[in-house]
Amino acid sequence: MTADWQNAGFGLYLHWPFCASKCPYCDFNSHVSASIGVDAWQAAYLAQIDAWADRTQGRILNTVFFGGGTPSLMPASLVDAIMDRIRARWSLANDFEATLEANPTSVDASKFAAFRMAGINRVSLGIQALNNNDLRALGRMHDVDEALAAFDIARAAFDRVSFDLIYARQGQTLPMWEAELRRALDMAIDHLSLYQLTVEPGTVFAQRQARGGLRGLPGDDAAADMYDVTTDICRDYGFHGYEVSNYARPGSESQHNLIYWRYGDYIGIGPGAHGRITDLCGRRATEAPRDPAQWLAIAQNGYGCDEAPLSPIDCAQEYLMMSLRLTEGCDRVRLQAMIGSEFNGDALRDLVQMGMIECTDTHIRATPDGRLVLNAVVSKLFEDLQ
Ligand SMILES: C[S@@+](CC[C@H](N)C(=O)[O-])C[C@H]1O[C@@H](n2cnc3c(N)ncnc32)[C@H](O)[C@@H]1O
Ligand code: SF4
């Protein structure tokens, strides 16, 4: 019998938790460290790859994603050793995708050439803003010229280079964002991640906001307008919004992130990494300790995370939550197989009537209005799973 994850593929996420400096808006598991014992990290990653490869023998690996933190700070020799071990332990898909996240401050041509030699074939660059004042306000260590130079270096080494921008920033108006987005699309190759600024609890931005110091953020309506024009302008340039914050030319979507959103299986290696793995007993959630030193201490022995079984209803909830982020939406046949009956309750009918959800014979999708309040839409749909 085909297991559900096989509808969506199998990926490996590897977390590098270090950055050159901590950005004031960021709540990722990222740390600034004066010294990093690279040999110990290499031993830990390789031990984890071996342990997971033993458990997933016979599978074909579709993707690997080096995320962070700032993986472009990893020594090229470490990326090379990890990629070597991955190739030794799994069969790779013909269209295997290997992405590495990069910060413009840590991009140099020889290192990028070495990443490519190691087998990386896609880079995601955190540019964030195309004007210097806003880059300073975001606490970034690079200016626009450095970001553009980094993009050129990345483009010279890789066919596939995506970059991230953060919008709905302090003082940003709709015309300002439109102009910035057009400039970004003029230089973009095939993929962009465009995130609305979120003030995450526990960050320096959250503290500043609590003191009344983070002035000039666009309100909800202005941010929603920015989201709408983002979708329209990207479409004019041939980039379709395939996920809430991701835009690509058809065929250039991030295959790794699609595995999350289509609810495939993925291994998570590194501090704080999450995974979803199906075995004979069903699907399991894995979560590694967030603290880098704690993770390092246990990971070298082959143990790297806590595991919890997911019930069919847990899986259905997660599948709904992830797949409704996608324009293609949720596959009704898969959802039905998870819960053992048709998914067709009162909450779904209400949301369709309210114009938040649309249904076809094969899929359930969030409408553009529904996407603006996706968390509320998904919580409402959960009522039909009880
Ligand atoms: C791990 S970082 C990317 C690579 C690298 N660390 C960097 O910042 O250049 C992932 C992306 O998440 C986005 N991001 C992080 N915190 C955010 C926030 N609070 N609001 C919106 N986007 C955020 C940024 O666009 C960032 O590039
Ligand atoms: S945004 Fe990127 S560079 Fe900045 S702290 Fe977060 S992970 Fe590090």
Side-chain angles (χ1 to χ4, degrees), residues 272-289:
H274 290 250
R276 294 289 179 276
I277 284 291
T278 308
D279 59 21
L280 290 174
C281 304
R283 201 175 283 231
R284 304 174 75 75
T286 74
E287 184 175 354

Side-chain angles (χ1 to χ4, degrees), residues 35 50 157 159 167 216 226 324 349 368:
S35 74
D50 282 340
D159 291 338
Y167 67 99
M226 286 186 185
L324 289 182
R349 268 194 296 278

Side-chain angles (χ1 to χ4, degrees), residues 332 339 341-352 359 364 380-381 383-385:
R332 301 184 81 149
I339 59 179
S341 63
E342 208 176 326
F343 182 76
N344 204 1
D346 292 343
L348 181 67
R349 268 194 296 278
D350 289 351
L351 287 163
V352 169
C359 295
I364 299 168
K380 176 91 182 143
L381 283 176
E383 291 171 15
D384 285 346
L385 289 172

Side-chain angles (χ1 to χ4, degrees), residues 95-137:
D95 58 353
F96 183 67
E97 178 189 89
T99 305
L100 181 134
E101 281 186 336
N103 182 314
T105 313
S106 58
V107 170
D108 81 66
S110 59
K111 196 168 189 190
F112 267 40
F115 286 151
R116 193 188 60 202
M117 290 298 289
I120 299 297
N121 56 26
R122 180 173 182 273
V123 162
S124 172
L125 187 65
I127 290 184
Q128 320 306 3
L130 291 174
N131 79 69
N132 286 336
N133 281 343
D134 286 11
L135 284 174
R136 268 193 297 277

